[in-house]
Amino acid sequence: MKIMLHVNGVAKEFEIAPKDTLLHLLRREGYFGAKFGGCRNGECGACAVLLDGRVVNSCAMLAAQADGHRIETIEGMGEHPEQGWKKTSGLHPIQQAFVESGAIQCGYCTPAMILAAKSLLEKDPDPTEDQVREALAGVLCRCSGYLKPIQAVMRAAAVMRGEVIPSVADEYNNPSDWVLDTPIADGETEGLSGDTLLASKIMPKIQVTPKTETWSQVGKPEPKVDAVKLVQGKPAFTADIELRGMLIAKVLHSPVAHAIIRSIDASKARALPGVAAVLTWEDIPRVVYSTAGQSDPIPGPLDSFSLDYKVRFVGDRVAFVAAETEEIANQALALIDVEYEELPAILDSTEAMRAGAVRIHDEPEYVDFAESDPKKNLAAHLRIDIGDVEQGFLDADVIYEGDYEVPKVQQAHIEPHVVVTYWDEDDRLVIRTSTQVPFHARRILAPVLNLPVKRIRVIKPRIGGGFGGKQEVMIEDVAGHLTIATGRPVLYEYDREEEFIAARSRHAMKIHMKTGVKRDGTITANEMYALSDTGAYGCHALTVTGNTGHKAMALYVGDGQYRLSPNIRFYADVVYTNTPPAGAFRGYGVPQGFWPVERHMEKIARDLGLDPIDFRLKNALRSGEYHPFSKSWSEGREPRPEIVHTVGLEQCIQQGKAVIGWDDKYGNAEWRKVPGKPHLRRGIGIAAVMQGTAIPYLDMGGASIKMNDDGSFNLLVGATDLGTGSDTVLAQMAAEVLGVPLDDMIVFSSDTDFTPFDVGAYASSTTYISGTAAIHAAQKVADRIRDRAARMLNESGDVDPASIRLMDKKAIAPDGRSVTLEEIARNALHQTGQEQIMAVASYVSPSSPPPFAAQFAEVTVDIETGQVVVERLVMAVDSGVIVNPVTASGQIEGGMTQALGYAVCEEMRYDDKGRAMERDLVDYHIFRADEMPRLETIFVETFEPSHPFGIKAVAEIPMDGVAPAVGNAILDACGAQVDQNPATPERIWQALQAENQSGFTHVIRR
Amino acid sequence: MIVQYYRPESMDEALELLARKDLPVYPLGGGSVLSQPTAKRYAVVDLQRLELDQIVQDAKGLHLGATATLQALVDSASLYPALRNAAKRETNFNLRQTATLAGTIVSASGRSPLVTALLALDAKLVWLPGEAEIPLGEFLATREARAGGLLIREVRLPVGSYLGFAEVARTPADVPIICAAVATWADGRIRAALGGPGSAPRLISDGLNSEEAEDAAYNAYSHLSLSSNESKNYLQNTSRLLVRRLLAESKSG
């Protein structure tokens, strides 16, 4: 059928099928700004466009419904102000505000948010903050925490009304009204229109370290280098490509939790017109591997196959199909006959190691790592003993034991897993994939696809969020096998249900804590046992669970003699079950550890009658002390002692307390009451946390920098910016060294053919490791520039190259004479002793300096229903020097928001057949813009001496403290001891009914 | 899979299309449900030209057009505030721009806030052809078995009663675990409805006795054989509590 649409002001006729959604049509016609979020209920909103001025989800309506209507897509809004000789009107004010406000992280939902804002502002040019939140509530964002997008819309509204607003640079240059030791009172307003609690200020609060004062790039709130393309909805993402003859891949997923495939008949599927290939385990090589995107050798068992004769969870792979269309591919899946011989299934981790339990991995190809033992369904085992734990317990006046539990949760990046594969003209397999680990993907896939590494090229386009989920080499082999089978390009894109049944997740754990304490609050011994559920495969089994202890159990070392020689034990069993595999998820085991540690510490302090903050600080790690685990364990590698040089925890607590008004609220019975609502109680809670920064002696990043004719530079990095802003901060650091503005750094990441190796984006390593590589490359280039500048200047005098400063795009001699970088570039490339000024560098770190943070939460609990509302989250972070305060605070806000879901609503559950109960973003709720608590970020800068610019990591630490801070706030509000998160209404209600209100399973008092 | 799409200009044309017997034919409101891919082949009749989206009040009560969007309900100052709130809680902002009242009723899950509120208000569905008026509760009980060829024209609501709505959810915008609506009339009539586990919200009480309404709320999930993430004990106590609160609110309000 034919329809007529008025798209961005142009009437166009389209041929469609009645079933076609508007999203399908728009993307087919090249309007790639409308994104596919994988959902079937229209719940994510990434596909939003405007229909007659209203924001609608294009995936949830038919193209035919739009016939005769006016459609606006992001492509119809502003554009880059300079298009060569053609000048344009530039970006739309909303787009400009998104760029300036740091409202863009991965950028996948950005076009939809901008369109939603446009619809709102056309109706109401002066909206309240609540109206903005409401207007954006139809677009889910997993990166930002919504704060900066909301600020961007408020700023854009002001600009469009003709108001003058301060720039972000003005805020940076005039920080005097951020008075750190003056708490902002409840209800105090700071906003453009005076009716919003939303601070109009984009900049977070920062306690700046003096060493940064002379820097021109590092520490500055520069707009992200990729922001302009993302606000325009440019086709930057993996699926934003059309290749002639491209096939659509689908996977047949197992309907049973554990079975042997007795027979599989794909003949009917293969005979279906439009089907190009059907692959079963009988059709492809049987290569055992691990899907974990980690360095070689992978620190975990090899227990996976592309396709196997056994299925181990509901959702496991059974067959691959490639067909001309999605409909044909789905029809083909239904035509594959499979005979399953069902086996008993293990769905509870406590059953996995019991005598007589069915063995999940009995394949002869299985390759052990360390203490894995598939006969016991054991993917990994850890035992770390520091000091003399038993003596520590003997020394204690009181020993507290408690049980805690954390659930499996989903990364829920809005861009699903997606890959496109094709043979290039040199018969090399190109894998264009949304991955955090392009180089690991190439290495891991080579044997699986029976290709040498050199015949694979992995291209990482823009990533629409990853959070660890894309640290897995999980779907690239599907498309790769199908391209090999058919010779044609193949697109494989998960839908949202596949993300829940067949992707990775955070490990669920059951944890037992045992802590010995003196009556004065000195911890004498601390022990944690974790039973970790890796699901059907052991990807990341050892390393995730190792981090649970390595980070969370390292924070409290004890005091006095115990501080000098802490007594800490961490041991864990990581077991297989017949549930979807767990893997990497931002925080990487540490949030699982801090839930029990920080709940346990809170209870102990209260039981001893001590102030919970004093108790924490008395026992917490301090600067100059050894990381207690550094002599004992290091992610499957040889441990090496490491001193923690900077610990800003105490300052974080002080600043966070001031901002949230702790002293007025904690222990204040009057404040807990809500006037007129006797069933409501307020509470306030804290958690102290630490993370790591990269994996020492292992994580390596590379960078190369090349100088161009005009004095600009290409920065090529293997690091992968998955929305974190790493491309920007790496460029800022290099620009600082080279004395140029950020505009003069052209960043490209990443392509295994062109960019240097990098382990990828994980372990909070990019700014520290890849950033140092970029700095080192820049320093080499800077040296070459100085040499040449000296030669150029020496025609009229004697200049020592080492004395030359690079700044303002010039090389400046001590006497003030200078040459521009453009002159130097032209001299080098065209005039004298011609050479290409460029350099490559790589970096691996001997240390992993931990960031620290104090997380505060305020809640209101309905003591009759158990319903909890989180009202406010304040996080004060010591991440060393902050390279870009806007992008960094965006990381904190987004991380707190993800962690908030972990605290109160996110949970993946399975029925008694192992079938997922949550399969979409309706049942699995992630926070929306219109329900967010107030978020505040404070940076307390320390100068980490192991890094040229003094930085530590930001990315993961916001995941760690929200859940325990909320749990502790619930305790403060109403006395409920909720030891299993998320803290759902029923769990709180049940805790209020519980006979044992201590929260401990066992207490010994001497 | 949708194999045919029609956009009739008149109601007669729409009813004629809906009466076809050669393949299933469904009325299409906003499309948020019917646009999703399925293996089943069917035709859709898009109602957008039929002007069924009016919201008006007359002597007979409130008339909510079948294709009134959920956002139109949210924005309609003439509606009960609690009903507007329930419409807002039904789904997110974007989907509310297209999702229609009738489509929401036809596809409602057990936890639908809007349908729970409509049940409490004793909503009637007016069907075409024939103008048959069917109570919402009756429709929900039989919707799986209803014959095709019919079309909801409007939803009728009484005016002058009081409506309260309350819920418990994991977060402020999450799908409710339990929601309750209580409507009261000047003559003392009390209607209470619950949304929760199960295929549809349920009417639990219609009478004059508030204690009976509370008891009914407690017993609504006493024979729980439905898939639920919450315990029977919790659902019972919370249901009763919410109804009790709403009854108290109606007396004070």
mmCIF file with all atom_site columns, all heavy atoms in Angstrom, chain B residues 186-203:
data_model
loop_
_atom_site.group_PDB
_atom_site.id
_atom_site.type_symbol
_atom_site.label_atom_id
_atom_site.label_alt_id
_atom_site.label_comp_id
_atom_site.label_asym_id
_atom_site.label_entity_id
_atom_site.label_seq_id
_atom_site.pdbx_PDB_ins_code
_atom_site.Cartn_x
_atom_site.Cartn_y
_atom_site.Cartn_z
_atom_site.occupancy
_atom_site.B_iso_or_equiv
_atom_site.pdbx_formal_charge
_atom_site.auth_seq_id
_atom_site.auth_comp_id
_atom_site.auth_asym_id
_atom_site.auth_atom_id
_atom_site.pdbx_PDB_model_num
ATOM 1   N N   . ALA B 1 186 ? -23.724 9.613   47.124 1.00 0.00 ? 186 ALA B N   1
ATOM 2   C CA  . ALA B 1 186 ? -24.421 10.343  48.194 1.00 0.00 ? 186 ALA B CA  1
ATOM 3   C C   . ALA B 1 186 ? -25.416 9.448   48.930 1.00 0.00 ? 186 ALA B C   1
ATOM 4   O O   . ALA B 1 186 ? -25.702 9.654   50.115 1.00 0.00 ? 186 ALA B O   1
ATOM 5   C CB  . ALA B 1 186 ? -25.134 11.555  47.609 1.00 0.00 ? 186 ALA B CB  1
ATOM 6   N N   . ASP B 1 187 ? -25.950 8.434   48.243 1.00 0.00 ? 187 ASP B N   1
ATOM 7   C CA  . ASP B 1 187 ? -26.926 7.553   48.892 1.00 0.00 ? 187 ASP B CA  1
ATOM 8   C C   . ASP B 1 187 ? -26.256 6.470   49.732 1.00 0.00 ? 187 ASP B C   1
ATOM 9   O O   . ASP B 1 187 ? -26.913 5.563   50.234 1.00 0.00 ? 187 ASP B O   1
ATOM 10  C CB  . ASP B 1 187 ? -27.840 6.920   47.851 1.00 0.00 ? 187 ASP B CB  1
ATOM 11  C CG  . ASP B 1 187 ? -27.086 6.048   46.860 1.00 0.00 ? 187 ASP B CG  1
ATOM 12  O OD1 . ASP B 1 187 ? -25.839 5.899   47.014 1.00 0.00 ? 187 ASP B OD1 1
ATOM 13  O OD2 . ASP B 1 187 ? -27.713 5.503   45.931 1.00 0.00 ? 187 ASP B OD2 1
ATOM 14  N N   . GLY B 1 188 ? -24.954 6.555   49.868 1.00 0.00 ? 188 GLY B N   1
ATOM 15  C CA  . GLY B 1 188 ? -24.245 5.605   50.715 1.00 0.00 ? 188 GLY B CA  1
ATOM 16  C C   . GLY B 1 188 ? -23.669 4.411   49.974 1.00 0.00 ? 188 GLY B C   1
ATOM 17  O O   . GLY B 1 188 ? -22.978 3.573   50.560 1.00 0.00 ? 188 GLY B O   1
ATOM 18  N N   . ARG B 1 189 ? -23.915 4.332   48.695 1.00 0.00 ? 189 ARG B N   1
ATOM 19  C CA  . ARG B 1 189 ? -23.377 3.216   47.921 1.00 0.00 ? 189 ARG B CA  1
ATOM 20  C C   . ARG B 1 189 ? -21.853 3.275   47.880 1.00 0.00 ? 189 ARG B C   1
ATOM 21  O O   . ARG B 1 189 ? -21.273 4.350   47.706 1.00 0.00 ? 189 ARG B O   1
ATOM 22  C CB  . ARG B 1 189 ? -23.928 3.267   46.496 1.00 0.00 ? 189 ARG B CB  1
ATOM 23  C CG  . ARG B 1 189 ? -23.506 2.105   45.624 1.00 0.00 ? 189 ARG B CG  1
ATOM 24  C CD  . ARG B 1 189 ? -23.988 2.335   44.196 1.00 0.00 ? 189 ARG B CD  1
ATOM 25  N NE  . ARG B 1 189 ? -23.571 1.256   43.316 1.00 0.00 ? 189 ARG B NE  1
ATOM 26  C CZ  . ARG B 1 189 ? -23.579 1.339   41.994 1.00 0.00 ? 189 ARG B CZ  1
ATOM 27  N NH1 . ARG B 1 189 ? -23.992 2.443   41.397 1.00 0.00 ? 189 ARG B NH1 1
ATOM 28  N NH2 . ARG B 1 189 ? -23.195 0.309   41.257 1.00 0.00 ? 189 ARG B NH2 1
ATOM 29  N N   . ILE B 1 190 ? -21.256 2.130   48.043 1.00 0.00 ? 190 ILE B N   1
ATOM 30  C CA  . ILE B 1 190 ? -19.794 2.036   48.009 1.00 0.00 ? 190 ILE B CA  1
ATOM 31  C C   . ILE B 1 190 ? -19.420 0.953   47.000 1.00 0.00 ? 190 ILE B C   1
ATOM 32  O O   . ILE B 1 190 ? -19.892 -0.181  47.103 1.00 0.00 ? 190 ILE B O   1
ATOM 33  C CB  . ILE B 1 190 ? -19.220 1.639   49.388 1.00 0.00 ? 190 ILE B CB  1
ATOM 34  C CG1 . ILE B 1 190 ? -19.572 2.678   50.443 1.00 0.00 ? 190 ILE B CG1 1
ATOM 35  C CG2 . ILE B 1 190 ? -17.722 1.410   49.307 1.00 0.00 ? 190 ILE B CG2 1
ATOM 36  C CD1 . ILE B 1 190 ? -19.301 2.196   51.860 1.00 0.00 ? 190 ILE B CD1 1
ATOM 37  N N   . ARG B 1 191 ? -18.576 1.327   46.056 1.00 0.00 ? 191 ARG B N   1
ATOM 38  C CA  . ARG B 1 191 ? -18.029 0.313   45.134 1.00 0.00 ? 191 ARG B CA  1
ATOM 39  C C   . ARG B 1 191 ? -16.512 0.325   45.282 1.00 0.00 ? 191 ARG B C   1
ATOM 40  O O   . ARG B 1 191 ? -15.883 1.382   45.220 1.00 0.00 ? 191 ARG B O   1
ATOM 41  C CB  . ARG B 1 191 ? -18.395 0.631   43.681 1.00 0.00 ? 191 ARG B CB  1
ATOM 42  C CG  . ARG B 1 191 ? -19.724 0.055   43.220 1.00 0.00 ? 191 ARG B CG  1
ATOM 43  C CD  . ARG B 1 191 ? -20.027 0.494   41.793 1.00 0.00 ? 191 ARG B CD  1
ATOM 44  N NE  . ARG B 1 191 ? -19.151 -0.128  40.808 1.00 0.00 ? 191 ARG B NE  1
ATOM 45  C CZ  . ARG B 1 191 ? -19.449 -1.254  40.138 1.00 0.00 ? 191 ARG B CZ  1
ATOM 46  N NH1 . ARG B 1 191 ? -20.600 -1.884  40.366 1.00 0.00 ? 191 ARG B NH1 1
ATOM 47  N NH2 . ARG B 1 191 ? -18.618 -1.742  39.236 1.00 0.00 ? 191 ARG B NH2 1
ATOM 48  N N   . ALA B 1 192 ? -15.964 -0.851  45.465 1.00 0.00 ? 192 ALA B N   1
ATOM 49  C CA  . ALA B 1 192 ? -14.505 -0.953  45.614 1.00 0.00 ? 192 ALA B CA  1
ATOM 50  C C   . ALA B 1 192 ? -13.958 -1.928  44.593 1.00 0.00 ? 192 ALA B C   1
ATOM 51  O O   . ALA B 1 192 ? -14.565 -2.974  44.326 1.00 0.00 ? 192 ALA B O   1
ATOM 52  C CB  . ALA B 1 192 ? -14.150 -1.405  47.024 1.00 0.00 ? 192 ALA B CB  1
ATOM 53  N N   . ALA B 1 193 ? -12.837 -1.595  44.017 1.00 0.00 ? 193 ALA B N   1
ATOM 54  C CA  . ALA B 1 193 ? -12.185 -2.457  43.031 1.00 0.00 ? 193 ALA B CA  1
ATOM 55  C C   . ALA B 1 193 ? -10.705 -2.551  43.353 1.00 0.00 ? 193 ALA B C   1
ATOM 56  O O   . ALA B 1 193 ? -10.121 -1.625  43.931 1.00 0.00 ? 193 ALA B O   1
ATOM 57  C CB  . ALA B 1 193 ? -12.386 -1.891  41.627 1.00 0.00 ? 193 ALA B CB  1
ATOM 58  N N   . LEU B 1 194 ? -10.132 -3.672  42.971 1.00 0.00 ? 194 LEU B N   1
ATOM 59  C CA  . LEU B 1 194 ? -8.706  -3.901  43.205 1.00 0.00 ? 194 LEU B CA  1
ATOM 60  C C   . LEU B 1 194 ? -8.012  -4.253  41.897 1.00 0.00 ? 194 LEU B C   1
ATOM 61  O O   . LEU B 1 194 ? -8.558  -5.006  41.073 1.00 0.00 ? 194 LEU B O   1
ATOM 62  C CB  . LEU B 1 194 ? -8.490  -5.066  44.178 1.00 0.00 ? 194 LEU B CB  1
ATOM 63  C CG  . LEU B 1 194 ? -8.787  -4.836  45.654 1.00 0.00 ? 194 LEU B CG  1
ATOM 64  C CD1 . LEU B 1 194 ? -8.580  -6.149  46.417 1.00 0.00 ? 194 LEU B CD1 1
ATOM 65  C CD2 . LEU B 1 194 ? -7.872  -3.753  46.220 1.00 0.00 ? 194 LEU B CD2 1
ATOM 66  N N   . GLY B 1 195 ? -6.831  -3.747  41.747 1.00 0.00 ? 195 GLY B N   1
ATOM 67  C CA  . GLY B 1 195 ? -5.955  -4.193  40.665 1.00 0.00 ? 195 GLY B CA  1
ATOM 68  C C   . GLY B 1 195 ? -4.780  -4.916  41.282 1.00 0.00 ? 195 GLY B C   1
ATOM 69  O O   . GLY B 1 195 ? -4.244  -4.481  42.304 1.00 0.00 ? 195 GLY B O   1
ATOM 70  N N   . GLY B 1 196 ? -4.414  -6.026  40.692 1.00 0.00 ? 196 GLY B N   1
ATOM 71  C CA  . GLY B 1 196 ? -3.312  -6.823  41.234 1.00 0.00 ? 196 GLY B CA  1
ATOM 72  C C   . GLY B 1 196 ? -3.090  -8.039  40.378 1.00 0.00 ? 196 GLY B C   1
ATOM 73  O O   . GLY B 1 196 ? -3.310  -7.990  39.159 1.00 0.00 ? 196 GLY B O   1
ATOM 74  N N   . PRO B 1 197 ? -2.657  -9.158  40.980 1.00 0.00 ? 197 PRO B N   1
ATOM 75  C CA  . PRO B 1 197 ? -2.429  -10.366 40.185 1.00 0.00 ? 197 PRO B CA  1
ATOM 76  C C   . PRO B 1 197 ? -3.718  -10.794 39.485 1.00 0.00 ? 197 PRO B C   1
ATOM 77  O O   . PRO B 1 197 ? -4.814  -10.524 39.967 1.00 0.00 ? 197 PRO B O   1
ATOM 78  C CB  . PRO B 1 197 ? -2.013  -11.397 41.231 1.00 0.00 ? 197 PRO B CB  1
ATOM 79  C CG  . PRO B 1 197 ? -1.565  -10.612 42.410 1.00 0.00 ? 197 PRO B CG  1
ATOM 80  C CD  . PRO B 1 197 ? -2.350  -9.350  42.396 1.00 0.00 ? 197 PRO B CD  1
ATOM 81  N N   . GLY B 1 198 ? -3.553  -11.502 38.382 1.00 0.00 ? 198 GLY B N   1
ATOM 82  C CA  . GLY B 1 198 ? -4.717  -11.971 37.649 1.00 0.00 ? 198 GLY B CA  1
ATOM 83  C C   . GLY B 1 198 ? -4.826  -11.297 36.302 1.00 0.00 ? 198 GLY B C   1
ATOM 84  O O   . GLY B 1 198 ? -4.054  -10.398 35.972 1.00 0.00 ? 198 GLY B O   1
ATOM 85  N N   . SER B 1 199 ? -5.797  -11.726 35.537 1.00 0.00 ? 199 SER B N   1
ATOM 86  C CA  . SER B 1 199 ? -5.894  -11.262 34.162 1.00 0.00 ? 199 SER B CA  1
ATOM 87  C C   . SER B 1 199 ? -6.564  -9.896  34.052 1.00 0.00 ? 199 SER B C   1
ATOM 88  O O   . SER B 1 199 ? -6.428  -9.228  33.035 1.00 0.00 ? 199 SER B O   1
ATOM 89  C CB  . SER B 1 199 ? -6.667  -12.283 33.325 1.00 0.00 ? 199 SER B CB  1
ATOM 90  O OG  . SER B 1 199 ? -7.958  -12.447 33.868 1.00 0.00 ? 199 SER B OG  1
ATOM 91  N N   . ALA B 1 200 ? -7.314  -9.503  35.078 1.00 0.00 ? 200 ALA B N   1
ATOM 92  C CA  . ALA B 1 200 ? -8.008  -8.218  35.008 1.00 0.00 ? 200 ALA B CA  1
ATOM 93  C C   . ALA B 1 200 ? -8.251  -7.705  36.419 1.00 0.00 ? 200 ALA B C   1
ATOM 94  O O   . ALA B 1 200 ? -8.328  -8.493  37.369 1.00 0.00 ? 200 ALA B O   1
ATOM 95  C CB  . ALA B 1 200 ? -9.334  -8.382  34.269 1.00 0.00 ? 200 ALA B CB  1
ATOM 96  N N   . PRO B 1 201 ? -8.396  -6.397  36.557 1.00 0.00 ? 201 PRO B N   1
ATOM 97  C CA  . PRO B 1 201 ? -8.820  -5.876  37.867 1.00 0.00 ? 201 PRO B CA  1
ATOM 98  C C   . PRO B 1 201 ? -10.168 -6.464  38.242 1.00 0.00 ? 201 PRO B C   1
ATOM 99  O O   . PRO B 1 201 ? -10.936 -6.901  37.388 1.00 0.00 ? 201 PRO B O   1
ATOM 100 C CB  . PRO B 1 201 ? -8.922  -4.366  37.628 1.00 0.00 ? 201 PRO B CB  1
ATOM 101 C CG  . PRO B 1 201 ? -8.035  -4.109  36.460 1.00 0.00 ? 201 PRO B CG  1
ATOM 102 C CD  . PRO B 1 201 ? -8.151  -5.319  35.586 1.00 0.00 ? 201 PRO B CD  1
ATOM 103 N N   . ARG B 1 202 ? -10.454 -6.447  39.517 1.00 0.00 ? 202 ARG B N   1
ATOM 104 C CA  . ARG B 1 202 ? -11.694 -7.090  39.957 1.00 0.00 ? 202 ARG B CA  1
ATOM 105 C C   . ARG B 1 202 ? -12.512 -6.161  40.853 1.00 0.00 ? 202 ARG B C   1
ATOM 106 O O   . ARG B 1 202 ? -11.958 -5.449  41.697 1.00 0.00 ? 202 ARG B O   1
ATOM 107 C CB  . ARG B 1 202 ? -11.382 -8.393  40.676 1.00 0.00 ? 202 ARG B CB  1
ATOM 108 C CG  . ARG B 1 202 ? -10.364 -8.234  41.780 1.00 0.00 ? 202 ARG B CG  1
ATOM 109 C CD  . ARG B 1 202 ? -10.047 -9.549  42.468 1.00 0.00 ? 202 ARG B CD  1
ATOM 110 N NE  . ARG B 1 202 ? -9.212  -10.414 41.658 1.00 0.00 ? 202 ARG B NE  1
ATOM 111 C CZ  . ARG B 1 202 ? -8.884  -11.658 42.004 1.00 0.00 ? 202 ARG B CZ  1
ATOM 112 N NH1 . ARG B 1 202 ? -9.328  -12.175 43.125 1.00 0.00 ? 202 ARG B NH1 1
ATOM 113 N NH2 . ARG B 1 202 ? -8.120  -12.388 41.228 1.00 0.00 ? 202 ARG B NH2 1
ATOM 114 N N   . LEU B 1 203 ? -13.813 -6.217  40.643 1.00 0.00 ? 203 LEU B N   1
ATOM 115 C CA  . LEU B 1 203 ? -14.740 -5.523  41.532 1.00 0.00 ? 203 LEU B CA  1
ATOM 116 C C   . LEU B 1 203 ? -14.884 -6.385  42.771 1.00 0.00 ? 203 LEU B C   1
ATOM 117 O O   . LEU B 1 203 ? -15.187 -7.580  42.664 1.00 0.00 ? 203 LEU B O   1
ATOM 118 C CB  . LEU B 1 203 ? -16.095 -5.346  40.858 1.00 0.00 ? 203 LEU B CB  1
ATOM 119 C CG  . LEU B 1 203 ? -17.182 -4.705  41.726 1.00 0.00 ? 203 LEU B CG  1
ATOM 120 C CD1 . LEU B 1 203 ? -16.873 -3.233  41.956 1.00 0.00 ? 203 LEU B CD1 1
ATOM 121 C CD2 . LEU B 1 203 ? -18.551 -4.867  41.067 1.00 0.00 ? 203 LEU B CD2 1
#
